[in-house]
Amino acid sequence: MMIRKLAIVALAALFFASTAEAKQKHVELEAKAELEVEVVNEDGEKTIQRVPAVKVMPGEVVVYTITARNVGEEPATNVVITDPVPEHMDYTGSVTGDGARVTFSVDGGKTYDVASALTVPVGGGSKPAPPEDYTHIRWTFNDALEPGSAHSVEFRARLQ
Amino acid sequence: MRTVLCRGLLMVALLAPAVSARGAGTPAGDTVTNQASLTFEAGGAPGSSTSNVHVITVDELIAVSTTLQTIGNVLVAPGATGELLTFRVENTGNGVEDFTLAVSNAAAGDDFDPSLNTVYVDTDPDGAGPAVPDGVFNVADDLPYNAASPPTLDANTAGQEAITVFLFNDIPGPGPPPTDDDLGDSELTAESVTVAGLAPGAALAGAGDGGGDAVTGPGGPSSAATGTYQVVTSLVSVSKSGTVLGPAAPGTQIEYSLDVSATGSGTATAVMIRDAIPVGTTYVAGSIELDSVPLSDVPGDGADFNVSNPGAITVDLGDMTSVTPNRTITFRVTIN
């Protein structure tokens, strides 16, 4: 009897866990990082291609792409993506995010504002924050993310 | 055999990376992770999600800087040995790397070639404690460069990223050649052991510290600096004239005048003028004058007769250069 009771409790726990998981996975998030390389074809023409960034050397610029995909059955609203600028990386000032309002943090993610409003202290006053001082980037989407569709955003950062 | 890669695909060139001038950068082998997060609402309920964690390994960027520390040309005399040039070799990459040292004295474009004497590396192991490089050559402490065990420089640890190298060369001569103002160059090259001989941007997969690639920096695997020796010589000239003070007959005095001058860029040190009294004459006691100032015949005031050199007058003129005014020594003899 004792064993059966335990089994039921375990099953229940499993059920709740998977329900929570389903909620979490309503919108999936994928992060990737790539390097841009110049490729010369047989005709000597140069094109820029992206290759996965697995190993990077100081000074190289990495393109981070974050994709939010609605895998649920209902529209997702108030979609907000947040990504800290990775340690040892400097944000270069290059960001994309169609349909999103992009804000940044210079205080470790406590507060966010548009780039033009960000300042950092200098002497007794403050100055506009340079991109390398940004600690977090946030994309706030105006429109709902419909089931089956995805938002992709990008930013570039240089390895220190 | 090493397999040399170009980064990524074949025929792929890196888009010129902006390597910061301060060197170093993120230490080789470190990992850089990225994870994004998401909030949303669906069906009236809040939801959240996090992305996969993307991990990058930092490659080892190999770069070195050799600079001459000696200020200006080293002034040398022909035939001088063990003339010092001081260099600084710095690991400006982001890892721990061994650097070999090589000296080239044969380059064209100078007037003479110094010959390599020895190369020392600033180590200053003071016996019991750790090595304490001090940038100053000390023959008791600093170690001769050993090609089998080249210096290891850690770009990520302050104080261990650079070493001072003491290069000693011998100067040919005495000449000519070399002659006054001739220049001789000596070049010190430091080269990474890992990427020796590779072109900028060339990479060795997995050869970097911590498992990343070892990537040759934009400056290539080596760096050289040149020091210059400048020969300084000094030539002391003496012109002698005599005036017979009366008829050329026994008992008449002759006054000799020695005009001494120095030429060349160097310094003639401890110039001693010696002039033997001519046969058939007798030195007139107390007749030595230097620039019209009488000097004694015994040592003590810089001149003597028949003491420093038997049968001769000797005058000490000290150091002379081309800007020293000419010195005039006079003395008299009597015809026997």
Side-chain angles (χ1 to χ4, degrees):
Chain A
M1 280 304 279
M2 196 60 175
I3 291 168
R4 174 165 297 192
K5 213 174 211 172
L6 274 176
I8 291 167
V9 171
L11 264 177
L14 205 64
F15 173 75
F16 285 120
S18 59
T19 309
E21 180 123 322
K23 202 75 158 179
Q24 294 271 328
K25 290 291 184 187
H26 190 100
V27 180
E28 284 180 348
L29 199 59
E30 182 201 2
K32 65 178 178 180
E34 294 167 305
L35 291 171
E36 288 188 330
V37 293
E38 195 176 78
V39 179
V40 183
N41 68 13
E42 290 167 353
D43 299 330
E45 294 165 341
K46 293 175 179 176
T47 55
I48 304 293
Q49 287 188 1
R50 290 185 178 183
V51 296
V54 179
K55 302 173 186 174
V56 176
M57 67 173 175
E60 283 189 292
V61 172
V62 173
V63 182
Y64 284 100
T65 304
I66 301 112
T67 302
R69 189 181 310 280
N70 189 341
V71 295
E73 291 171 358
E74 293 179 83
T77 57
N78 294 330
V79 173
V80 177
I81 297 173
T82 305
D83 199 353
V85 176
E87 194 186 1
H88 300 306
M89 287 280 192
D90 287 332
Y91 170 62
T92 64
S94 171
V95 65
T96 64
D98 287 345
R101 177 172 181 264
V102 184
T103 55
F104 306 91
S105 175
V106 291
D107 58 7
K110 290 194 199 75
T111 60
Y112 288 83
D113 211 332
V114 293
S116 59
L118 291 172
T119 60
V120 288
V122 55
S126 63
K127 64 166 186 174
E132 58 266 27
D133 282 0
Y134 295 3
T135 61
H136 291 69
I137 305 172
R138 174 168 283 177
W139 294 263
T140 304
F141 289 90
N142 306 317
D143 300 329
L145 183 59
E146 297 298 328
S149 67
H151 287 320
S152 265
V153 299
E154 279 183 11
F155 71 97
R156 287 162 197 258
R158 175 179 285 116
L159 181 61
Q160 294 165 357
Chain B
M1 274 302 285
R2 300 181 299 180
T3 306
V4 180
L5 307 173
C6 206
R7 289 292 295 269
L9 309 166
L10 203 64
M11 291 300 288
V12 166
L14 287 167
L15 294 176
V19 177
S20 69
R22 68 191 151 86
T26 307
D30 273 16
T31 53
V32 175
T33 58
N34 183 47
Q35 184 177 32
S37 61
L38 172 79
T39 59
F40 60 94
E41 287 175 21
S48 65
S49 178
T50 53
S51 76
N52 55 302
V53 177
H54 187 277
V55 180
I56 286 170
T57 300
V58 177
D59 287 330
E60 183 177 0
L61 180 66
I62 295 183
V64 57
S65 167
T66 304
T67 52
L68 177 69
Q69 302 296 294
T70 303
I71 297 167
N73 293 345
V74 177
L75 304 181
V76 295
T81 58
E83 292 289 346
L84 171 64
L85 288 171
T86 304
F87 295 87
R88 185 173 190 268
V89 175
E90 180 177 356
N91 180 352
T92 53
N94 65 340
V96 180
E97 182 62 20
D98 290 350
F99 294 93
T100 57
L101 304 177
V103 176
S104 168
N105 287 337
D110 56 2
D111 301 311
F112 71 93
D113 291 335
S115 63
L116 176 61
N117 186 319
T118 47
V119 179
Y120 279 82
V121 177
D122 187 22
T123 44
D124 277 4
D126 54 359
V132 182
D134 58 5
V136 178
F137 179 65
N138 181 337
V139 71
D141 280 349
D142 296 325
L143 294 176
Y145 168 68
N146 178 1
S149 172
T152 302
L153 302 179
D154 180 356
N156 304 313
T157 304
Q160 295 180 22
E161 76 281 23
I163 48 155
T164 303
V165 176
F166 306 107
L167 167 56
F168 293 93
N169 284 301
D170 296 340
I171 308 303
T179 58
D180 201 33
D181 282 337
D182 275 0
L183 302 177
D185 291 337
S186 183
E187 181 186 67
L188 178 76
T189 302
E191 181 168 42
S192 155
V193 169
T194 304
V195 295
L198 299 189
L204 296 172
D209 289 349
D213 295 347
V215 184
T216 314
S222 64
S223 171
T226 299
T228 302
Y229 297 101
Q230 180 177 351
V231 168
V232 290
T233 59
S234 185
L235 183 63
V236 174
S237 311
V238 180
S239 81
K240 183 175 180 179
S241 59
T243 305
V244 182
L245 306 174
T252 298
Q253 290 189 350
I254 303 171
E255 183 175 85
Y256 289 105
S257 179
L258 305 172
D259 190 55
V260 186
S261 61
T263 55
S265 59
T267 299
T269 57
V271 177
M272 299 288 283
I273 302 296
R274 179 187 66 200
D275 196 20
I277 303 303
V279 173
T281 68
T282 303
Y283 171 71
V284 177
S287 67
I288 304 173
E289 292 185 3
L290 175 61
D291 299 331
S292 302
V293 176
L295 297 175
S296 77
D297 290 342
V298 293
D301 59 1
D304 68 68
F305 168 69
N306 203 30
V307 178
S308 299
N309 297 286
I313 59 119
T314 305
V315 180
D316 180 1
L317 297 181
D319 295 350
M320 294 185 72
T321 71
S322 59
V323 299
T324 305
N326 289 7
R327 311 300 299 271
T328 302
I329 300 164
T330 58
F331 65 95
R332 294 195 302 279
V333 298
T334 304
I335 300 172
N336 293 343

